[in-house]
Structure formats: C-alpha cells, structure tokens
Amino acid sequence: MNTASTSPVTGSAARADALLSAFAGAGYEQAAPAILQPAEPFLDLSGEDIRKSLYLTTDPNGEDLCLRPDLTIPVARDYLASPRAGKPGNFYYLGPVFRFRGGKPSEFLQAGVESFGRNDRAAADAEMMALALEATTAFGVRDLDIRSGDAALFMALIDALKLAPVWRRRLVKCFNRKTSITAEVENLRQGAGQSDYEGVLAALAGSDRKAALALVTDLMSIAGTENVGGRTTAEIADRFLEQSTLKGGTLSRETLTLIERFLAISGEPDEALAQLRNLTADARLDINAALDAFENRIGFMAARGIDTGKIAFSTSFGRGLDYYTGFEFEIRRNNNGGEPLVGGGRYDDLLTRLGAASPTPAVGFSVWIDALTKAGGAA
C-alpha cells in the first residue's frame, strides 16, 4: 500500500498534524491513494446521483476516470490490491478530494480512518466514534450534535417480515436514499393498476428475479432490441417484477404501519434499544441478533468514556449511501445547519463489491477539514 506524508496548505496545519498524530498513536498507518480513480466504483456504490458531482474524464482506452470525490473507496481499493488483503489493516489519510458543491470550493481536504478485517465489530464501531470525537477535540469544536443510526436493524426487520424480494429491494433503497417509505409505497401502489402489460405481469407473478430477467431477455430478443428508453434489460425486468408483486398486494397496511412505527423510534441509545425490544416483542419478530449487537456497541462506547446519553439515535437515520450495512453516524456542531464535520459507519459489503475474494468487515469515517476549521473558529 502506498504511503506518503501529506500536509494541508491551510492555517489549520498544526491541528491537522495533531489529528494525524492521534490516528497514528491509535495504531493506524497512513495511506495515500492516487488522485485519479476509475469512475465506475463511485457510480456503482454511491449511486448515480453522484455523477453530477464528479469531475470525469476518459482515458485512451475509453475507461471513465474521475478525480477522487472521497477517500473511502480509493483506500479500500489499495488495500485489496496489497498483500494485506483479507487480513486486518487500519489506515488513516489526509488529502484533497474533488466534488462539485455549488457555491463551495470543489477541491477540499478530507481526513479519516478506515479499518478492515476486524471481527470484533462492536468494539471497532466504538473505536470509530471515539476517534471521531478526538477529531473534533483536535480542532477545538465543542457543543456537538451527534447523530447515529444502524442500517443492520432495518435490514433485520425487513428480513424478519419475510417480504417478497422486490419489496425488500425497494424498501432498502428507500432507507438508504432517505426517501419517505410511506410515500414511496403509495406511489408504487398507484402505478400498479391496469397497464398494457397485463399478460407479462401475470406471467411474472410469483417469479424470482432470475426468471423475470430470462423472460424479458427473450421478449426483447424477439423484438430485436437491447434497451427501451435508455433502460437496460435488467432494469426493465426489475420494473415488471416490481409491478407484478405490487399487483399481488404483498405489502399489507399492517406491515407498512409496523415499519413506520419502527422508523419512528428515536432517543438516547439505551432508550431506543428498550423501545425496539418492546416493539419487536409485541410484533413477535425475532431481530435479537441485531439488537444484541446494538447493545454491545453501546457498552463498548461507554467503556471508552463516551457519554452515550449525548448521542441522538434514530432508526430512520442514514447517510444516503448504498454501501452502509450497520452502524452509521455524523457529528455536527449544534446550530450549524446541515453541514456535518465528521461522518462514517460500517460497510461490510463494500470490499466484496469491489472484488474481494471473501467478505471482509470494514468500518471508518471521514473528516471535513474545512468544516472543522470553520466550526473550531466559531466555538
């Protein structure tokens, strides 16, 4: 893995150096991924919405490249390309990233840490929160607004409800993109009325995604086309399968109400845990493994001296990225609007999606140096 010494070119150099020293003191190694990166991983893993923020180019072979908009994926790619792949590895970084941000500079400094291969997930999650809080301390930021969630709890709920695969994909997508699930469900239901494709929908009723894709591929082959309106065969198959499932009415009003009750739970972590155990007991749903993991994380945070009573936990909290699989958090300065200073979480599926030979636990966070500097000056 490439390493290099990187120093910021801002007046916050001393604070940034102190921050990096704290990361190194915690046993992390410095990483320095290339600035120019393949664009595909960012588009695939962060969602197409990020395309409008990327600075894209194309190499002579036609491959889409971009200036790195974030450092998590580049650090993960370097780790996978190194002899350390599959083994525990802890890295920190500081360097420029490039992303269109409206009226803000498109080049800005990002620091952070990434931890790969640790199976003690609850302890690793707690360590991320502790190091993130050290970052705010290094920049003199006080009066913090700490927000947290857990995508694994929502996934466990959806799995326990034993929903059709189409509903599962749609609900998980809504959760990751922070879309109103109630509004999305109503929109989907309204779009599932009479159509010109009743025969296709009837043929797909009860099918899985593989069967739907095979049918649509055959139909499009007969028609002599590979896409319609810019949509691929797979996208059209997913849409037909979704419509056939919706017509079957597999998501009941009771199920939707239960999901809404789940997503309304918030408060200090211990309070939220008690509410979750009560709700799932009443609904006779077993998500105890996810709840136990949540409880263990709270315990490890408390053991590190973190005042968990100052953490605002919400079951509906998410950072809007598809690759998070568990613990998620953001730290802001109170009354600082919607601008996070630090944000991160657990992304156990990311390395597999980047080509890892076997599943690899992963967790980390990013620090926005310009936002921290500004908040520290206002503290």
Side-chain angles (χ1 to χ4, degrees):
M1 183 143 193
N2 294 328
T3 60
S5 176
T6 309
S7 296
V9 292
T10 70
S12 60
R15 288 176 171 179
D17 286 344
L19 175 60
L20 299 187
S21 295
F23 293 158
Y28 289 73
E29 305 172 33
Q30 190 166 16
I35 288 177
L36 196 62
Q37 294 280 327
E40 184 179 4
F42 295 98
L43 297 172
D44 287 349
L45 299 169
S46 301
E48 276 290 330
D49 290 346
I50 199 175
R51 182 181 289 274
K52 60 180 177 292
S53 302
L54 293 181
Y55 287 93
L56 292 160
T57 187
T58 305
D59 71 10
N61 296 321
E63 181 183 7
D64 289 333
L65 303 173
C66 68
L67 299 178
R68 63 189 188 197
D70 182 82
L71 276 156
T72 296
I73 290 175
V75 170
R77 291 183 68 249
D78 279 5
Y79 163 76
L80 288 176
S82 76
R84 306 273 294 276
K87 303 174 184 177
N90 298 315
F91 305 97
Y92 72 88
Y93 51 82
L94 171 67
V97 293
F98 306 84
R99 192 187 310 159
F100 179 75
R101 301 190 297 169
K104 298 180 181 179
S106 295
E107 177 182 348
F108 53 101
L109 282 174
Q110 185 183 79
V113 303
E114 311 296 341
S115 178
F116 307 124
R118 284 184 60 173
N119 290 313
D120 55 340
R121 288 172 172 81
D125 290 351
E127 184 170 298
M128 292 305 108
M129 181 64 82
L131 290 173
L133 291 171
E134 283 193 40
T136 62
T137 299
F139 280 76
V141 182
R142 298 180 293 275
D143 193 21
L144 300 177
D145 172 12
I146 308 171
R147 307 179 188 185
S148 177
D150 191 339
L153 291 171
F154 184 73
M155 306 295 184
L157 175 73
I158 298 303
D159 288 342
L161 289 171
K162 295 181 172 55
L163 303 180
V166 172
W167 274 118
R168 187 186 191 283
R169 286 198 301 273
R170 292 299 303 218
L171 294 174
V172 169
K173 181 178 180 181
C174 289
F175 181 85
N176 288 338
R177 301 296 172 84
K178 297 193 281 191
T179 304
S180 168
I181 286 176
T182 302
E184 180 73 2
V185 168
E186 290 306 319
N187 287 339
L188 292 172
R189 279 179 171 150
Q190 291 172 14
Q194 291 295 116
S195 74
D196 295 331
Y197 314 109
E198 293 296 321
V200 176
L201 297 181
L204 289 176
S207 299
D208 59 18
R209 189 172 187 268
K210 183 178 180 180
L213 182 58
L215 174 60
V216 173
T217 299
D218 286 347
L219 291 175
M220 295 183 69
S221 176
I222 293 170
T225 183
E226 295 182 355
N227 62 71
V228 176
R231 291 186 294 172
T232 66
T233 302
E235 290 171 335
I236 294 170
D238 283 342
R239 180 60 176 166
F240 278 146
L241 188 58
E242 174 184 281
Q243 290 291 305
S244 70
T245 302
L246 290 170
K247 289 181 73 66
T250 56
L251 189 63
S252 67
R253 179 62 61 183
E254 291 75 14
T255 297
L256 180 57
T257 299
L258 177 61
I259 294 172
E260 290 172 334
R261 287 177 60 198
F262 176 91
L263 292 174
I265 290 175
S266 63
E268 298 177 8
D270 283 324
E271 295 174 347
L273 176 62
Q275 295 178 58
L276 283 165
R277 290 201 186 279
N278 288 336
L279 174 63
T280 53
D282 289 344
R284 297 182 180 179
L285 293 175
D286 182 5
I287 64 168
N288 290 326
L291 292 174
D292 290 345
F294 178 28
E295 186 171 18
N296 288 339
R297 184 189 310 130
I298 298 170
F300 276 106
M301 286 184 180
R304 282 186 166 271
I306 298 171
D307 184 354
T308 59
K310 293 184 178 179
I311 299 175
F313 178 87
S314 172
T315 49
S316 63
F317 175 84
R319 301 202 61 236
L321 295 172
D322 290 347
Y323 57 71
Y324 282 115
T325 59
F327 173 56
E328 299 181 58
F329 72 96
E330 285 184 352
I331 301 176
R332 295 175 168 85
R333 183 172 178 270
N334 272 322
N335 304 315
N336 196 39
E339 183 176 39
L341 309 175
V342 185
R346 176 158 294 280
Y347 50 94
D348 286 349
D349 293 344
L350 177 62
L351 271 67
T352 303
R353 295 170 70 180
L354 285 173
S358 59
T360 304
V363 64
F365 64 86
S366 297
V367 178
W368 291 275
I369 298 296
D370 56 349
L372 263 180
T373 301
K374 180 181 177 181

